Amino acid sequence: MAEEILLIAGVVIAVLMIFRMYVSGARCKSKAKLHGKTVIVTGSNTGIGRATAVDLARRGARVILACRNQINGGVAVDIVQRESGSKNVVFMQLDLASLKSVRSFAETFLKTERRLDILINNAGVYMQGTTEDGLGLMFGVNHLGHFLLTNLLLDRLKECASRIVTVSSYLHEYGNLNFDTLRTHKEFGVGESVGSVFRIYSHSKLCNVLFTHELANRLQGTNVTCYSLHPGVINSDLSRNMNKMSRRLMKPIAALFFKDVEAGAQTTLHCAMQEGIESLSGRYFSDCAVQKVKAKAKDDAVAKKLWEVSETLCGLS
């Protein structure tokens, strides 16, 4: 009887291991070394942002951890340095919920850093609220802060054969952009229910894909390429803003069915370094491969309008 139990347990463990390997998905195959190159990773004090920073630092890059909280950012520097074995990792304060902070970060970076080879727009929030500038929090952080940051750093990016990588989500498929709603509510959507938060988050992720689509059009003829991506369903810190009951219910599900943060960083790393994908600039990736998107995620007119509205909201136009 005991032998049968051990045999069954062994089979269950083996099946679970195979399942976890399947859930983890594809891995970045690039062997690129990044000595002499500089990278910014937003939201890199935790989750897939920090895992991305560790990998890039391990490859020799100078990595700027662009994070909101100075204390958490300092802790993240220590962790990334220890796990990567590199001391060339620094913290710079960036609050994407404040356009003033974005401008301050860009000004400081341009004064203190000679080059920028990879910009990874990774940070994101999943909660309702308002930015310092009176915008919806998810629209402001997930899209507009990164839009302004990218534009302020664009000239420096053009000085290198650089890449811009923006972390979106497959949830962009559930997003829609209503510019009348944005004009009225400073957000693509309204409401405080669980469903409305999900929809507004999805709208912000559609903004990421459309921003990348339009950015690629505007970068034609330069040596800068850009990509958006779905990192996978990640067991990360993004759920920290859910209520306690939701987090408790999610914990065992996440442990089995979600990617860990290292696996979740793989498509970001693929887009940042993989050789030979330059012709796919503006495209959307998942599991380290380019993916087709619905018509609304590559609509030239909507992408152009989003860009123009974003310019106005940021004071760039």
Side-chain angles (χ1 to χ4, degrees), residues 181-199:
T181 303
L182 176 65
R183 192 162 29 248
T184 305
H185 299 283
K186 304 298 182 184
E187 175 79 284
F188 283 118
V190 291
E192 297 291 338
S193 69
V194 173
S196 63
V197 174
F198 172 87
R199 286 191 298 273

Side-chain angles (χ1 to χ4, degrees), residues 4-296:
E4 290 178 356
I5 292 173
L6 286 173
L7 179 61
I8 292 170
V11 170
V12 170
I13 291 170
V15 169
L16 286 174
M17 289 177 65
I18 293 169
F19 180 73
R20 285 301 303 162
M21 288 175 63
Y22 171 76
V23 168
S24 294
R27 300 191 69 82
C28 174
K29 295 178 181 178
S30 174
K31 304 298 183 184
K33 298 298 181 184
L34 302 175
H35 300 285
K37 297 185 183 297
T38 299
V39 182
I40 294 172
V41 186
T42 69
S44 43
N45 61 296
T46 188
I48 62 174
R50 193 171 72 197
T52 300
V54 168
D55 188 286
L56 296 170
R58 193 177 285 140
R59 293 170 185 262
R62 175 171 175 78
V63 180
I64 311 297
L65 305 186
C67 314
R68 179 175 58 85
N69 185 284
Q70 187 167 3
I71 294 174
N72 292 343
V75 171
V77 168
D78 292 340
I79 293 171
V80 174
Q81 287 184 346
R82 182 176 68 250
E83 292 187 3
S84 68
S86 169
K87 294 296 183 183
N88 204 6
V89 181
V90 297
F91 163 78
M92 287 181 62
Q93 191 164 27
L94 170 65
D95 182 359
L96 289 160
S98 164
L99 298 178
K100 180 181 178 182
S101 175
V102 175
R103 291 183 181 278
S104 177
F105 172 91
E107 182 180 0
T108 301
F109 178 86
L110 293 172
K111 284 180 179 177
T112 57
E113 299 291 334
R114 293 186 305 105
R115 60 185 298 128
L116 178 56
D117 301 271
I118 304 171
L119 170 61
I120 298 180
N121 295 321
N122 165 82
V125 294
Y126 184 90
M127 64 180 294
Q128 285 289 62
T130 306
T131 71
E132 180 181 282
D133 306 282
L135 300 157
L137 187 64
M138 287 186 278
F139 173 69
V141 171
N142 298 352
H143 167 64
L144 201 65
H146 284 129
F147 173 87
L148 177 59
L149 178 67
T150 302
N151 275 279
L152 293 176
L153 298 177
L154 208 49
D155 286 343
R156 183 61 53 85
L157 285 158
K158 288 177 180 178
E159 293 172 5
C160 310
S162 57
R163 294 189 183 186
I164 301 164
V165 180
T166 300
V167 177
S168 180
S169 166
Y170 80 97
L171 294 179
H172 80 271
E173 293 189 358
Y174 301 96
N176 289 289
L177 305 191
N178 185 321
F179 291 95
D180 291 332
T181 303
L182 176 65
R183 192 162 29 248
T184 305
H185 299 283
K186 304 298 182 184
E187 175 79 284
F188 283 118
V190 291
E192 297 291 338
S193 69
V194 173
S196 63
V197 174
F198 172 87
R199 286 191 298 273
I200 295 170
Y201 180 78
S202 301
H203 301 333
S204 74
K205 296 288 99 179
L206 178 58
C207 287
N208 295 151
V209 179
L210 286 167
F211 161 60
T212 300
H213 178 79
E214 176 65 14
L215 180 60
N217 290 336
R218 292 170 182 257
L219 288 173
Q220 288 183 17
T222 73
N223 58 356
V224 184
T225 56
C226 58
Y227 315 89
S228 64
L229 66 101
H230 170 53
V233 183
I234 313 299
N235 188 8
S236 75
D237 204 32
L238 186 64
S239 62
R240 66 189 178 277
N241 299 309
M242 293 180 176
N243 62 55
K244 188 177 292 185
M245 181 60 71
S246 296
R247 291 200 307 272
R248 193 171 293 166
L249 291 171
M250 287 291 290
K251 195 170 183 179
I253 298 172
L256 183 59
F257 293 101
F258 293 5
K259 290 182 179 182
D260 61 29
V261 292
E262 184 188 2
Q266 296 305 307
T267 303
T268 299
L269 294 167
H270 175 87
C271 291
M273 296 180 294
Q274 186 61 47
E275 301 83 354
I277 65 169
E278 291 80 7
S279 64
L280 299 173
S281 182
R283 300 288 299 277
Y284 169 81
F285 285 72
S286 179
D287 262 335
C288 299
V290 69
Q291 306 291 333
K292 293 181 179 179
V293 295
K294 294 180 179 179
K296 66 180 178 181

